Amino acid sequence: MATLALDIPDHIDPSLVVDVDIYHVPGQVDDFHQAWKTLQQASPPVVWTPQNEGHWIALSGPVLAEVQSDHERFSNQIIVIPKSVGKLHQLIPTTIDPPEHRPYRKLLNSGMSLAKVRGLHDTIRATAVELIEPFVAQGRCDFTASYAQVFPISIFMALVGVPMAESGHIRYLAECMTRPNPPIPFEEAKQGFFDYLGPILDARRANPGEDLLSHIVTADIDGRQLSVEESLALATQVLIAGVDTVVNFLGFTMLHLARNPELRKELAGLDFPQVLAATNELFRRFGLVTIARTVRHDMEFHGASLKAGDLICIPTQVHGLDETVNADSLKVDVARKGCRHSAFGSGPHMCPGQELARAEVAITIAEWLRRIPEFRLADDADPRCSAGIVGQINRVVLEW
């Protein structure tokens, strides 16, 4: 994703201009979420930046949720900034608006339903325990490399029926589509996914199994099956989401737990259903996905003059951090009532994998604290943050 500045168009109110690169927000290296909160508190609800070819940013939690939810004013046609890259995205269902996207969402919802995820709890727990048990006697672990980059990906690889040995290649391609300045261009990484998935999807059509990719290529979509092009676009989107977001969310969560012994103690005293419920507060606090919507028509919107075709960035993390929505928002309070956030989106494009993500995080916390209740950040950790479509911490190393 390039960082190209644009001259300020005549219709932009100069008081709304904030010269900020969403992939390099000031202060984000030290604290990704504090950097966004600082920008939010110093800015109007909607601002315009000349960076990344020029676009709007929704910085108020309620305004961001409004943009996310209102597909009649804000389209999913282009969701990646800058626009020159976003035009190349075209994956489904994330770049399709209602009502056209509904059959695809119905397909994904049935493949990742709450009942199906609950049926996976024992498998998820067994995988977590298998990974955590050897750490106990070692007294330390590189949590990022040895757990976060292994656990959710191994669960997801089993869900889609792809060997874990191939996860490195998949994650490499995914990061090239979600990070600034990737080693290969966005369109090359997308084609890499298509080249990789093509033979796999052909084989699943011929001999379907119980996995999610088989479900994608054999499901009935309004009386038909997906075309080859549709199945490639949908499967690519599924793989990108499955190998990146939970990996990085676990890093933020465990870094925070390492620095907050009282929170560890509180979570350790909860039973599993309570831990599962508590993940809502964690997802509120550590939202990390920054995407966009396309303005459908000229409008006045919370003091800004938007033009048809403009992009408006929706950094989902700012909703949960908005003090007008969640008081004392940097504090993780598992007893918080009515916490609101957009970590999984809102409206018609709510993330279909949210139940799997919640289960993976809750099971990790429960099984880790059962075996390693006290731990701290090691000196050789690298808690600096970097950004892209998905924020991340470089390297979480824990010791006890």
Side-chain angles (χ1 to χ4, degrees):
M1 285 166 279
T3 303
L4 301 175
L6 186 75
D7 291 337
I8 301 172
D10 292 339
H11 72 280
I12 304 295
D13 181 343
S15 69
L16 300 181
V17 176
V18 177
D19 192 2
V20 62
D21 182 346
I22 58 170
Y23 302 124
H24 300 281
V25 177
Q28 76 167 32
V29 170
D30 296 321
D31 191 322
F32 176 81
H33 296 91
Q34 179 62 69
W36 276 104
K37 183 177 176 68
T38 298
L39 177 63
Q40 178 188 63
Q41 291 178 318
S43 307
V46 180
V47 300
W48 192 88
T49 175
Q51 297 298 320
N52 292 296
E53 302 174 1
H55 62 87
W56 298 97
I57 311 174
L59 289 173
S60 154
V63 172
L64 182 145
E66 185 178 351
V67 174
Q68 264 193 336
S69 302
D70 189 349
H71 68 272
E72 294 184 351
R73 288 188 295 168
F74 302 98
S75 170
N76 270 59
Q77 182 181 10
I78 298 176
I79 63 170
V80 173
I81 291 172
K83 182 181 286 189
S84 60
V85 174
K87 289 179 178 178
L88 303 172
H89 190 254
Q90 299 306 303
L91 299 179
I92 59 176
T94 51
T95 59
I96 303 176
D97 295 305
E100 289 81 6
H101 94 303
R102 288 171 186 156
Y104 305 104
R105 278 304 307 266
K106 183 178 179 181
L107 185 160
L108 290 179
N109 288 345
S110 64
M112 305 182 75
S113 66
L114 177 57
K116 187 159 290 188
V117 170
R118 283 176 175 168
L120 292 173
H121 276 199
D122 288 345
T123 299
I124 296 171
R125 183 170 287 103
T127 303
V129 170
E130 183 180 1
L131 288 170
I132 296 169
E133 285 283 5
F135 299 154
V136 178
Q138 295 171 11
R140 60 177 279 120
C141 79
D142 183 333
F143 180 82
T144 299
S146 299
Y147 190 89
Q149 293 180 357
V150 178
F151 169 67
I153 294 177
S154 65
I155 299 300
F156 188 76
M157 292 295 99
L159 185 66
V160 295
V162 174
M164 182 63 182
E166 299 179 27
S167 64
H169 176 61
I170 293 171
R171 189 154 194 261
Y172 170 76
L173 293 175
E175 289 189 340
C176 288
M177 294 180 70
T178 59
R179 301 270 176 258
N181 307 310
I184 62 174
F186 184 97
E187 59 269 34
E188 188 175 329
K190 178 181 173 182
Q191 187 59 50
F193 265 118
F194 285 12
D195 293 342
Y196 171 77
L197 282 166
I200 294 175
L201 296 180
D202 287 344
R204 302 291 165 87
R205 285 189 192 91
N207 295 288
E210 298 299 319
D211 59 276
L212 184 56
L213 294 184
S214 293
H215 181 63
I216 286 173
V217 297
T218 60
D220 181 278
I221 302 292
D222 293 338
R224 66 177 181 88
Q225 291 184 349
L226 294 181
S227 68
V228 171
E229 293 75 16
E230 287 173 316
S231 60
L232 284 171
L234 183 57
T236 296
Q237 181 62 64
V238 166
L239 287 184
I240 292 171
V243 302
D244 202 24
T245 49
V246 177
V247 170
N248 293 303
F249 182 82
L250 284 171
F252 283 109
T253 297
M254 291 303 284
L255 175 64
H256 190 76
L257 290 178
R259 290 170 167 169
N260 292 273
E262 290 302 316
L263 178 59
R264 292 199 304 269
K265 183 178 179 180
E266 183 177 9
L267 288 169
L270 302 178
D271 58 27
F272 180 73
Q274 292 173 314
V275 176
L276 187 60
T279 63
N280 190 48
E281 169 70 352
L282 293 169
F283 280 106
R284 178 210 54 87
R285 173 61 176 83
F286 298 110
L288 72 177
V289 178
T290 301
I291 53 174
R293 295 288 187 266
T294 306
V295 178
R296 285 188 180 271
H297 53 78
D298 294 0
M299 70 179 87
E300 293 297 315
F301 184 70
H302 294 276
S305 296
L306 311 186
K307 298 295 184 182
D310 285 353
L311 293 188
I312 181 165
C313 176
I314 45 174
T316 58
Q317 52 275 11
V318 304
H319 190 182
L321 297 174
D322 192 330
E323 290 291 330
T324 69
V325 176
N326 300 293
D328 197 9
S329 63
L330 293 178
K331 176 181 174 59
V332 174
D333 179 3
V334 297
R336 186 187 297 270
K337 302 297 183 182
C339 77
R340 288 175 287 166
H341 60 85
S342 292
F344 296 111
S346 57
H349 284 276
M350 182 76 76
C351 175
Q354 64 175 296
E355 296 302 336
L356 179 62
R358 293 181 196 277
E360 290 173 337
V361 171
I363 288 170
T364 293
I365 292 171
E367 299 303 329
W368 186 282
L369 292 178
R370 183 171 291 122
R371 292 161 178 80
I372 310 171
E374 297 296 330
F375 56 93
R376 60 189 174 274
L377 192 67
D379 290 340
D380 56 336
D382 182 3
R384 293 176 299 170
C385 305
S386 57
I389 294 174
V390 181
Q392 68 174 6
I393 294 173
N394 290 347
R395 183 167 177 256
V396 178
V397 182
L398 304 173
E399 61 183 18
W400 48 91

